[in-house]
Amino acid sequence: MADPMKIRATVAGDATEVKVLMSHEMETGQRKDAQGKTIPAWFIQSVTAAWNGKTVLSAQWGPAISKNPFLSFKFEGGAKGDKVKVTWIDNKGETRTDEATIG
Amino acid sequence: MDARRRDVLKGGGGATLLAVLTAAGWLKPGEALAQAWNKAAFEARTIDEAVKALGGGAQAQSKDIVFVSTPDIAENGAVVPIGVSSSIPKTESIAILVEKNPSPLAAVFSIPAGTGPTVTTRVKMGQSSNVYAVVKADGKVFVASKEIKVTLGGCGG
């Protein structure tokens, strides 16, 4: 299992700002190792963020996203104490879900 | 497992239970989302191909798309912050493309109603290049671009 995400969600006016830092290699499939063999691609393909069961952002990513991806966005609504849940799935089918409380 | 079941029961409230389960990734974890990954668009070699694979035809230049917290010169191509903000009404999706990367398309964000049409992330850039933000709004496609100079490429080893 991959390392947990760091999720910070804060109320800013009538919107909630969400910042996510994921822990992932995001290998492009273009690099070669010391023996000249191509390192297979390994990257997060899809990310979904949900608040109270409602999807507030979904994304599809390619390998051009940086290692240990960062993501931030805002959505309307959300109150202190609500939960924001973020899920990612990589191209090997591995997945991770983490949850944060809006503060 | 038990702790999460509590969440589901609380959040469920009857009608929305299915939505909660789906959002939590319980129903067919991975499958539905992984299938939706737009392989053709991500493997396209040019901006035009990628935009076409995303379902966009003619693009209009727009001044309503701005790059926020995006540098003119990036010291490290492995980590280039890119923020895209669209003030076009009914923005449905924002795609980020790097022209000179082997596959230009870096990310596509779907913006449901209620979510602000601004996203920020970090991308890799192999070399100095134009970066495009392609916004789909109300069925139309808009584009904006910005040149970013990279002093150290992000696709080497």
Side-chain angles (χ1 to χ4, degrees):
Chain A
M1 196 71 171
D3 290 334
M5 285 176 249
K6 285 180 188 155
I7 306 172
R8 184 167 295 166
T10 47
V11 175
D14 51 3
T16 300
E17 182 174 32
V18 184
K19 292 182 176 175
V20 190
L21 192 59
M22 304 164 206
S23 171
H24 201 282
E25 279 301 316
M26 298 301 283
E27 193 57 63
T28 59
Q30 314 259 358
R31 296 200 310 155
K32 293 188 168 62
D33 64 14
Q35 278 77 45
K37 275 188 289 191
T38 304
I39 305 169
W42 179 33
F43 56 95
I44 294 174
Q45 282 190 317
S46 98
V47 180
T48 321
W51 159 64
N52 284 352
K54 174 182 178 276
T55 300
V56 286
L57 186 82
S58 60
Q60 293 179 33
W61 283 359
I65 296 291
S66 297
K67 179 176 175 174
N68 298 334
F70 168 79
L71 166 69
S72 90
F73 65 98
K74 279 182 187 171
F75 66 89
E76 287 166 23
K80 278 189 185 184
D82 286 358
K83 303 270 188 198
V84 173
K85 193 176 263 185
V86 180
T87 303
W88 58 250
I89 300 159
D90 68 20
N91 66 326
K92 291 182 180 171
E94 199 176 321
T95 177
R96 167 148 201 122
T97 301
D98 283 292
E99 200 176 58
T101 307
I102 299 174
Chain B
M1 263 317 179
D2 261 342
R4 293 189 65 193
R5 195 177 66 174
R6 290 293 118 197
D7 281 352
V8 169
L9 290 175
K10 261 190 284 175
T16 56
L17 184 61
L18 187 70
V20 173
L21 284 172
T22 315
W26 277 26
L27 295 178
K28 295 190 203 160
E31 255 174 64
L33 283 164
Q35 276 170 6
W37 196 70
N38 196 332
K39 195 164 187 279
F42 278 101
E43 286 180 358
R45 295 283 169 222
T46 65
I47 300 259
D48 283 348
E49 277 177 42
V51 172
K52 208 181 274 178
L54 289 172
Q59 308 142 35
Q61 290 284 337
S62 175
K63 289 201 175 93
D64 295 326
I65 306 169
V66 288
F67 289 91
V68 290
S69 53
T70 308
D72 296 323
I73 298 173
E75 275 181 20
N76 182 357
V79 189
V80 184
I82 307 267
V84 178
S85 181
S86 152
S87 49
I88 302 167
K90 294 189 188 166
T91 293
E92 294 154 15
S93 76
I94 296 176
I96 298 171
L97 300 97
V98 181
E99 190 174 26
K100 288 190 183 160
N101 271 5
S103 304
L105 184 60
V108 188
F109 297 91
S110 307
I111 316 283
T115 297
T118 302
V119 286
T120 309
T121 185
R122 294 174 187 154
V123 304
K124 295 173 203 156
M125 290 178 67
Q127 53 181 304
S128 299
S129 161
N130 282 326
V131 174
Y132 288 81
V134 177
V135 170
K136 223 189 260 184
D138 208 5
K140 295 197 188 75
V141 181
F142 300 92
V143 66
S145 65
K146 176 185 170 75
E147 190 188 5
I148 300 179
K149 289 199 162 64
V150 175
T151 35
L152 180 69
C155 293

